[in-house]
Amino acid sequence: MSLPLGRTSAPEVSASVEAFLAEPHIGTLTTIRPDGSPHVAPVRFTWDAEAGLARVMTVSSSRKARNLIATAGGRVAICQVAGFSWVTLEGTAQVVDEPARVTEGARRYARRYRSGPPNPPGRVVVEIRVDRVLSLNV
């Protein structure tokens, strides 16, 4: 798979972080509302180490998608927590409705969570170009 435009390499991630991100936990996605306040939502997400992308399935009318549409290329953070261990993936995000990319997001979601995501009208994928990985006890 090719890397997103503007990326020359995926972020360095340890084997233990990769293993932690492979576990089918729920995470939280933090976006910024137009008024500058944070919006935090529980999400299921996938991590594509090769491309350096985290993906979140949603609908274009969701608050998280509207926040990102309002601030194209805005920064976001996804955090996965299990007990006293956590990993945060930070980067820039975009809302994508291109059918092939939405299908790829849904395919990865189904593989990670062992069931497909909902398929409501307006389904999109949020693609996060991860440029910073933080972790503790992983």
Side-chain angles (χ1 to χ4, degrees):
M1 171 173 257
S2 62
L3 296 172
L5 291 176
R7 181 178 297 286
T8 57
S9 65
E12 293 290 326
V13 178
S14 70
S16 61
V17 166
E18 286 290 344
F20 185 76
L21 290 172
E23 297 174 17
H25 294 296
I26 302 298
T28 59
L29 174 66
T30 302
T31 60
I32 304 299
R33 291 183 183 98
D35 69 4
S37 63
H39 173 259
V40 182
V43 294
R44 288 183 166 189
F45 71 97
T46 62
W47 168 239
D48 179 351
E50 183 180 338
L53 281 177
R55 293 178 177 91
V56 175
M57 301 304 299
T58 191
V59 293
S60 58
S61 61
S62 70
R63 177 78 266 168
K64 60 186 152 289
R66 289 182 296 145
N67 290 344
L68 294 169
I69 290 166
T71 58
R75 295 210 42 96
V76 301
I78 278 194
C79 185
Q80 176 176 295
V81 179
F84 292 105
S85 301
W86 57 263
V87 171
T88 297
L89 306 172
E90 295 181 9
T92 56
Q94 64 178 335
V95 177
V96 178
D97 62 2
E98 181 184 314
R101 289 162 70 180
V102 172
T103 297
E104 177 65 9
R107 183 187 71 77
R108 289 175 178 275
Y109 177 109
R111 186 173 67 203
R112 181 173 188 198
Y113 294 105
R114 296 177 180 85
S115 68
N119 190 12
R123 183 166 77 166
V124 295
V125 61
V126 173
E127 293 181 342
I128 302 159
R129 291 184 187 107
V130 175
D131 56 31
R132 181 179 297 155
V133 178
L134 307 164
S135 64
L136 181 68
N137 298 325
V138 176

